[in-house]
Amino acid sequence: MFDFDLFVIGAGSGGVRAARTSAGYGARVAIAEDRYMGGTCVNVGCVPKKLYTYAAHFSQDCSDSRGFGWTGEVPAFNWHVLRDNKSAEIERLNGIYDNLLSNSGVTVFNARAKIAGKNTVAVDGKTVTARYILIATGGWPFVPDFPGSDMVLTSNEIFDLPEFPERILVVGGGYIALEFAGIFAGLGASTTLSYRGEIPLKNFDKDIREKLFTESQRHISMRMNSNVSEIRKGDDGIVVAFEEGDPLTVDCVLYATGRNANTRELGLEKTRVKTGKNGAISVDEFFETDEPGIYAIGDVVGRAALTPVATAEGMVLASNLFKGTRKTLDYANIATAVFSHPNVGTVGLSEEGARDKYGAIVVYESEFRHLKHTLSGNPERTYMKIITDKATDRVIGMHMVGADAGEIIQGFSAAMQCGVTKAQLDSTIGIHPTAAEEFVTMRTARDG
Ligand code: NDP
């Protein structure tokens, strides 16, 4: 009756996973993408960002190596080599995504798709019908409107700068701002971070925010309670005026002030699909919009704008549509990392959130100098924190600022998902000497 069982709009992490999984269940699936295979994560997000983060760490590694006996010139950094090697790797990944889809039997349209009515999509000059339509069009950087805002860059452009900026201003206090400020500072740019609030990472644990702020100040000029009023071209670069304080001249301004749902020109006006804050599409717990048969997952829904969440949503939806299940996704205990310098890793509730939810909580914390830095001379401190529900001893939050925080927190998030208690952490034998072992050796509560 229909051309396809499922038509997916958007070949990012969520869309591709939903398409492949559905095809694996025997559904006839099509996917449309007019930009790049793999979406934000592969092309202008997680993957190139992590590659640039590795690049940025080498400068610290070089200076850390001195105390271990390494001598000689510090190697010079070449932006063009990094950028072009990154682009070649992304191109390789684009090809892999294309192959994964075709090998799963998914019909790929390298074209823009628009909903033309119930069960109908206009794509590549054709009209095709589908039993279900899935919107997985992701997000798009948001830049506030102000004089000169057309001169700023976003995370869409920053990876491919023609030349390395010797002076950069990053605006924002979230994931992207902290990560890119760390990257450019590490690569050798004079880096300033301007944030409108007191201290970045607003919804994170307060201690984590403060520790990262302290560490960041050693690499980045942190301009807090700061608001850009105007940007103009000057003789020696881009001149940024602030509502408070002196202007700043830089080579490049990166705005990382959040992302909105990418719903433009999707044909939503022809449907009953509703949108809310930042344009996010409203869906029920089964990812169905207000228009029966039209579903949405990933950043366009914005429940948690994270790649693994989008792929998990895609798999749940595919199972529900084509395997007859009625699954929902558990959004509790989603671990995340901010790949700042140093990294932040976090899972569960912040201390503030835990107090609000549970009342009586117990907090354990540890701050120390990493063994590596006893010889490197690097003053960086590592901070780790466990929060438990006093009544049950259950661990309800784990947070860390320090090297490899994301790698460490991932394993502990599995334990939390299994309901781990503090007593069970205490009965776990540590791996010595590691930073991670602190999470199983903290014994003294800070307060109750
Ligand atoms: P975030 O929502 O994390 O942060 C946006 C920041 O911009 C906040 O600090 C906010 O301030 C500030 N801001 C918002 N509006 C304005 C404005 N008009 N003027 C000045 N500042 C403003 O967004 P990002 O863009 O950093 O990242 C988007 C999402 O992508 C993240 O939330 C995350 O889900 C995902 N992501 C995840 C990564 C990871 O897992 N490592 C990496 C990168 C992105 P305030 O705090 O005051 O609201």
Side-chain angles (χ1 to χ4, degrees), residues 49 142 144 171-177 179 195-197 202 227 255-259 304-306 336-339:
K49 179 274 309 289
F142 158 76
V171 179
Y175 284 81
I176 297 179
E179 290 180 345
Y195 174 52
R196 66 182 178 181
K202 189 166 68 180
N227 294 283
Y255 258 70
T257 42
R259 294 170 63 83
L306 301 166
T336 75
V338 185
F339 296 100

Side-chain angles (χ1 to χ4, degrees), residues 116-196:
K118 199 168 162 57
N119 305 109
T120 315
V121 177
V123 61
D124 213 7
K126 294 191 262 296
T127 301
V128 298
T129 58
R131 185 170 163 208
Y132 305 119
I133 295 170
L134 171 60
I135 303 169
T137 45
W140 199 256
F142 158 76
V143 176
D145 197 19
F146 60 90
S149 60
D150 55 319
M151 273 187 268
V152 310
L153 302 180
T154 69
S155 53
N156 279 357
E157 299 86 31
I158 196 73
F159 290 103
D160 293 301
L161 290 177
E163 298 302 329
F164 184 71
E166 299 300 330
R167 304 160 298 176
I168 184 168
L169 171 70
V170 179
V171 179
Y175 284 81
I176 297 179
L178 267 298
E179 290 180 345
F180 274 101
I183 286 169
F184 280 100
L187 294 178
S190 164
T191 307
T192 305
L193 183 108
S194 160
Y195 174 52
R196 66 182 178 181

Side-chain angles (χ1 to χ4, degrees), residues 167-373:
R167 304 160 298 176
I168 184 168
L169 171 70
V170 179
V171 179
Y175 284 81
I176 297 179
L178 267 298
E179 290 180 345
F180 274 101
I183 286 169
F184 280 100
L187 294 178
S190 164
T191 307
T192 305
L193 183 108
S194 160
Y195 174 52
R196 66 182 178 181
E198 290 286 322
I199 187 166
L201 294 183
K202 189 166 68 180
N203 296 321
F204 285 63
D205 181 275
K206 190 161 172 286
D207 286 314
I208 293 297
R209 298 171 67 193
E210 284 172 358
K211 304 295 175 194
L212 180 67
F213 183 64
T214 305
E215 291 297 332
S216 299
Q217 277 178 311
R218 292 195 292 104
H219 315 285
I220 301 162
S221 167
M222 302 290 275
R223 214 168 158 145
M224 299 296 104
N225 300 306
S226 159
N227 294 283
V228 171
S229 56
E230 187 192 0
I231 296 184
R232 62 181 170 78
K233 275 213 164 66
D235 295 337
D236 179 34
I238 298 171
V239 181
V240 184
F242 295 88
E243 284 173 13
E244 53 294 298
D246 295 335
L248 187 71
T249 302
V250 291
D251 303 308
C252 168
V253 180
L254 169 66
Y255 258 70
T257 42
R259 294 170 63 83
N260 289 343
N262 184 15
T263 54
R264 74 206 136 89
E265 290 177 50
L266 258 182
L268 294 188
E269 65 287 351
K270 295 206 171 68
T271 69
R272 280 174 285 177
V273 173
K274 288 199 185 112
T275 56
K277 199 172 163 238
N278 300 334
I281 291 181
S282 312
V283 290
D284 65 13
E285 58 192 324
F286 303 107
F287 309 107
E288 193 161 26
T289 67
D290 288 273
E291 176 74 62
I294 299 186
Y295 294 79
I297 56 165
D299 287 8
V300 78
V301 171
R303 283 185 173 155
L306 301 166
T307 291
V309 172
T311 51
E313 290 174 345
M315 288 187 290
V316 166
L317 179 66
S319 171
N320 289 349
L321 294 182
F322 301 113
K323 264 185 89 188
T325 56
R326 280 296 267 177
K327 289 183 193 167
T328 57
L329 194 67
D330 178 7
Y331 290 87
N333 296 335
I334 295 171
T336 75
V338 185
F339 296 100
S340 43
H341 288 208
N343 288 185
V344 168
T346 176
V347 57
L349 297 171
S350 65
E351 182 176 339
E352 302 72 46
R355 269 189 214 291
D356 282 351
K357 185 163 178 194
Y358 289 89
I361 59 168
V362 188
V363 177
Y364 302 82
E365 64 182 349
S366 174
E367 185 172 359
F368 56 95
R369 194 175 188 191
H370 200 290
L371 177 62
K372 181 179 173 187
H373 298 318

Side-chain angles (χ1 to χ4, degrees), residues 12-125:
S13 308
V16 168
R17 185 61 65 90
R20 286 177 55 209
T21 312
S22 300
Y25 294 146
R28 294 167 309 134
V29 183
I31 193 164
E33 172 61 59
D34 73 337
R35 203 169 158 84
Y36 26 45
M37 282 291 155
T40 303
C41 176
V42 168
N43 294 278
V44 286
C46 329
V47 175
K49 179 274 309 289
K50 191 76 189 285
L51 292 173
Y52 282 17
T53 304
Y54 289 129
H57 268 289
F58 286 113
S59 56
Q60 188 65 61
D61 291 344
C62 284
S63 68
D64 286 351
S65 71
R66 307 260 170 211
F68 292 86
W70 293 86
T71 56
E73 289 290 301
V74 174
F77 168 66
N78 185 319
W79 168 255
H80 301 107
V81 172
L82 172 65
R83 185 198 59 193
D84 297 348
N85 285 349
K86 175 274 304 174
S87 298
E89 172 59 12
I90 300 307
E91 219 171 284
R92 191 184 71 85
L93 292 176
N94 294 148
I96 288 178
Y97 266 72
D98 234 338
N99 287 341
L100 284 174
L101 286 165
S102 331
N103 293 344
S104 317
V106 174
T107 303
V108 179
F109 291 95
N110 292 113
R112 189 163 189 86
K114 199 168 173 178
I115 298 172
K118 199 168 162 57
N119 305 109
T120 315
V121 177
V123 61
D124 213 7

